[in-house]
Amino acid sequence: MKRLPIAERPDWREKATEFGFSFHTMYGEPYWCEDAYYEFTLAQIEEIEDATADIHQMCLKVVEKVVADDALMAQFQIPKHCWEFVRSSWRTQQPSLYSRLDLAYDGVNPPKLLENNADTPTSLYEAAFFQWLWLEEQIAASKLPQDADQYNSMQEKLIERFAELKSQHGFSLLHFACCQDTEEDRGTVQYLQDCALEAELASDFLFIEEIGLGERGQFTDPQDQVISNLFKLYPWEFMFREIFSTKLEDAGVRWLEPAWKAILSNKALLPMLWKMFPNHPNLLPAYFAEEEHAEMDHYVIKPLFSREGANIRIIEKGQEVASVDGPYGQEGMIHQQFHHLPKFGDSYTLIGSWLVNDQPCGIGLREDKELITQDLSRFYPHVIVG
């Protein structure tokens, strides 16, 4: 695993504008970066792929265990009035679309799971589409070897999955939703809508704030059309605490992602994995903060619902060495053994390993000068050589 310098495409910003990549720069800081790239061997990619598949299957075993146990549902902070809704989504095998595992990997030692973004993962467009465009154009410009490849079948897998949802699961119209004033979320949803269009699956877009409640308890769009299938880039833990959460069970909506993903996107997943699969090479020791557990000299404190690094603290020999503020924490905490991210120059690198329809299919790399990766961490492309 190498980080190599490369000349930027002279017109990449114009290309970004042309293809709707409006959030390549955020708050005056670069988000998409192509002054360097990461190079992997095929063997390294296969190791990431195998680890991703194994971890995902272990995660599904956790879901199976949690939905069958009231005490665990409570420990995962799922409100009691939503238990049957979550359980039913698992029992009836409600289909999922995609997810992203965040891995620490240096190309030498086994990949380690840091967390599972199974409910509302972003950085999809840049991983699935824009870095592939970068690869093709840099090969054409002879800046990369002609046989350079990329671990990235994400777009074709997404299109295939949308086609399956239409043909096998009876999705005739899929509504897409995200919050207002979230440029990155809107870009992600627009990209997914484009993939659905490629699969000839009809779709409509609305903002979460525009979802209405019909006379018979159905959710409706601004045209008073009943919503039967909805992809929402909005976390389940937020939805479970909305006033309308008591209507979720009876509204007749098929959700992407399904409600059982609330278990996978919860940091309580991490101690459950360690309990069920102790000493697995792709897992880190993790424990619920309130439970007795083995002492760790160097560990990370994570709230159950944290996003984009918020409210995460790193402790070394009793001293806090890094932290990020945020609104989370009252729901409970977990402790996970600290694991060094590989460092290139003055930045730490995290791998996001993607799955579509439960199948590993690509990676995206993020860099940050801080130990805790956050929403404005920089995205870099990658290639496979050898």
Side-chain angles (χ1 to χ4, degrees), residues 70-263:
D70 287 357
L72 289 175
M73 293 285 276
Q75 193 165 31
F76 273 66
Q77 295 295 310
I78 295 169
K80 193 169 184 177
H81 70 274
C82 297
W83 286 3
E84 183 50 35
F85 176 63
V86 173
R87 285 171 167 154
S88 175
S89 74
W90 179 253
R91 249 192 339 260
T92 57
Q93 299 181 305
Q94 290 298 300
S96 65
L97 181 63
Y98 73 143
S99 60
R100 190 191 80 229
L101 303 180
D102 284 347
L103 305 175
Y105 180 61
D106 59 5
V108 179
N109 299 293
K112 299 286 188 182
L113 176 69
L114 299 182
E115 57 191 62
N116 188 345
N117 298 276
D119 183 17
T120 57
T122 51
S123 77
L124 176 72
Y125 170 85
E126 48 274 37
F129 177 76
F130 207 69
Q131 71 166 339
W132 183 260
L133 183 68
W134 167 88
L135 175 77
E136 290 183 323
E137 293 188 346
Q138 292 292 47
I139 290 173
S142 300
K143 298 286 176 59
L144 290 171
Q146 288 299 308
D147 61 349
D149 201 356
Q150 193 174 87
Y151 178 38
N152 187 1
S153 60
M154 294 167 62
Q155 181 161 300
E156 63 191 71
K157 292 282 197 308
L158 285 165
I159 294 167
E160 285 170 14
R161 183 55 170 161
F162 282 123
E164 279 180 16
L165 292 171
K166 180 182 178 183
S167 64
Q168 296 178 22
H169 297 275
F171 281 51
S172 55
L173 172 67
L174 178 58
H175 281 82
F176 286 83
C178 67
C179 289
Q180 293 175 351
D181 305 321
T182 51
E183 193 173 13
E184 184 183 2
D185 288 5
R186 184 69 187 94
T188 300
V189 170
Q190 182 61 61
Y191 173 65
L192 284 168
Q193 211 174 343
D194 290 345
C195 290
L197 181 65
E198 285 288 318
E200 299 181 353
L201 172 56
S203 68
D204 272 339
F205 174 81
L206 72 164
F207 290 110
I208 287 284
E209 294 87 348
E210 295 178 317
I211 296 175
L213 193 63
E215 290 179 5
R216 298 180 182 175
Q218 323 100 313
F219 293 129
T220 57
D221 67 14
Q223 288 72 47
D224 291 326
Q225 186 175 207
V226 172
I227 297 172
S228 299
N229 308 295
L230 178 64
F231 173 90
K232 47 93 194 156
L233 205 63
Y234 187 67
W236 275 117
E237 67 264 22
F238 292 0
M239 289 186 70
F240 289 162
R241 287 157 178 81
E242 301 272 5
I243 294 170
F244 66 73
S245 63
T246 55
K247 308 292 185 184
L248 287 169
E249 200 173 339
D250 300 321
V253 178
R254 282 187 297 189
W255 300 89
L256 290 175
E257 298 297 325
W260 55 262
K261 285 283 191 91
I263 294 168

Side-chain angles (χ1 to χ4, degrees), residues 39 50 83 98 121 139 166 218 232 256 262 279 287 298 314 324 365 376 379 384:
E39 181 182 288
D50 290 346
W83 286 3
Y98 73 143
I139 290 173
K166 180 182 178 183
Q218 323 100 313
K232 47 93 194 156
L256 290 175
N279 302 309
Y287 309 93
H298 204 174
I314 300 177
V324 175
L365 287 95
L376 296 182
F379 188 102
I384 306 170

